[in-house]
């Protein structure tokens, strides 16, 4: 589970859970295709689509590690599929 770093819990991500969309930080080197295949194999679900974006660094923790940005991923799952590790 090293590709998905942590689940994002914000007001928007909680609203997206109701629409069967899951938000998390991921490894910044992953592509959408790699992430889709990994989610489908690891959680045994079908992914409709993935939106990915880079999030600016806050300048505190990650500046020591020379990480310039994080990558955020929103995965849309097909109907009747869900990830039980996330809040529902």
């Amino acid at each position: 589970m090293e590709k998905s770093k942590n689940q994002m819990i914000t007001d928007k991500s909680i609203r997206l859970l109701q629409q069967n969309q899951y938000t998390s930080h991921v490894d910044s080197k992953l592509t959408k295709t790699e992430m889709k295949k990994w989610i489908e194999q690891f959680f045994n679900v079908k992914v409709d689509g993935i939106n990915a974006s880079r999030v600016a660094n806050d300048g505190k923790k990650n500046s020591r590690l020379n990480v310039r940005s994080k990558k955020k991923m929103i995965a849309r799952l097909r109907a009747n599929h869900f990830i039980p590790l996330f809040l529902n």
Side-chain angles (χ1 to χ4, degrees):
M1 190 138 167
E2 70 281 345
K3 295 182 182 197
S4 177
K5 296 185 178 181
N6 59 353
Q7 175 187 5
M8 291 181 61
I9 301 177
T10 61
D11 290 339
K12 182 178 179 180
S13 66
I14 291 171
R15 281 193 313 266
L16 289 174
L17 282 173
Q18 297 170 350
Q19 300 171 10
N20 211 18
Q21 297 181 14
Y22 297 86
T23 308
S24 64
H25 284 123
V26 296
D27 186 11
S28 61
K29 296 178 183 175
L30 287 177
T31 63
K32 289 181 182 182
T33 307
E34 292 172 339
M35 203 58 218
K36 180 179 177 179
K37 288 179 184 177
W38 182 80
I39 290 172
E40 289 180 342
Q41 291 175 354
F42 191 83
F43 294 110
N44 196 24
V45 295
K46 294 292 181 186
V47 177
D48 260 350
I50 290 188
N51 293 340
S53 63
R54 294 201 180 267
V55 180
N57 187 8
D58 60 1
K60 295 177 185 174
K61 282 186 176 180
N62 294 332
S63 62
R64 287 182 269 142
L65 302 174
N66 286 334
V67 176
R68 292 188 178 156
S69 64
K70 299 176 190 176
K71 196 169 198 178
K72 178 177 79 170
M73 183 261 322
I74 300 174
R76 289 184 313 278
L77 301 184
R78 291 189 181 166
N80 300 325
H81 288 271
F82 64 94
I83 298 175
L85 300 176
F86 282 76
L87 300 172
N88 279 335

